[in-house]
Amino acid sequence: SVRGLIQCLGLYPVGSCVMLSTGEIGVVSQPNGADPLKPALLLVSDGSAPYRPPKFFDLAEQPTQPLRSIVATVDPRQIGIDPNHVLDSLSA
C-alpha cells in the first residue's frame, strides 16, 4: 500500500533536498516513521551561505522557536549540492 511505502521510506527519502520555512536548505539524513513530515536533516545552507560542516537537525525534536518545517523539495543540481557528498560527511 502507499501508506506502507510512505512509512518505510518517508515522504522525503534519504538524500532528498528540502527547503525549510526559515529559508535553510537541508538534505534528509533519516526518515521519521512516526511523523513522515519531520525527518532528520543535515542543514547545508541558510539560504545564502553554506554551513561548513553541515549541521544535524531533527525536525521532530525542536527545542526552540521558530519551529522549522519543510515547505518545498529542491533540485540539488539547481543549487549545486551533491546529496551523496553531504551524507558522506556524516561518517567523516
Side-chain angles (χ1 to χ4, degrees):
S1 75
V2 172
R3 177 173 284 149
L5 183 63
I6 288 172
Q7 285 180 326
C8 183
L9 295 177
L11 285 175
Y12 305 101
V14 171
S16 299
C17 286
V18 295
M19 178 180 288
L20 301 182
S21 53
T22 56
E24 293 167 296
I25 304 292
V27 174
V28 175
S29 61
Q30 183 178 349
N32 181 342
D35 190 343
L37 295 174
K38 296 181 179 177
L41 309 170
L42 288 172
L43 299 177
V44 295
S45 168
D46 68 5
S48 59
Y51 294 138
R52 300 207 193 281
K55 299 178 182 181
F56 179 80
F57 189 81
D58 189 342
L59 288 173
E61 298 180 13
Q62 298 186 62
T64 60
Q65 298 288 339
L67 294 181
R68 296 168 168 116
S69 62
I70 295 173
V71 295
T73 56
V74 181
D75 182 342
R77 294 169 296 186
Q78 290 184 336
I79 55 175
I81 293 174
D82 179 349
N84 292 322
H85 179 72
V86 173
L87 292 171
D88 286 346
S89 72
L90 274 178
S91 59

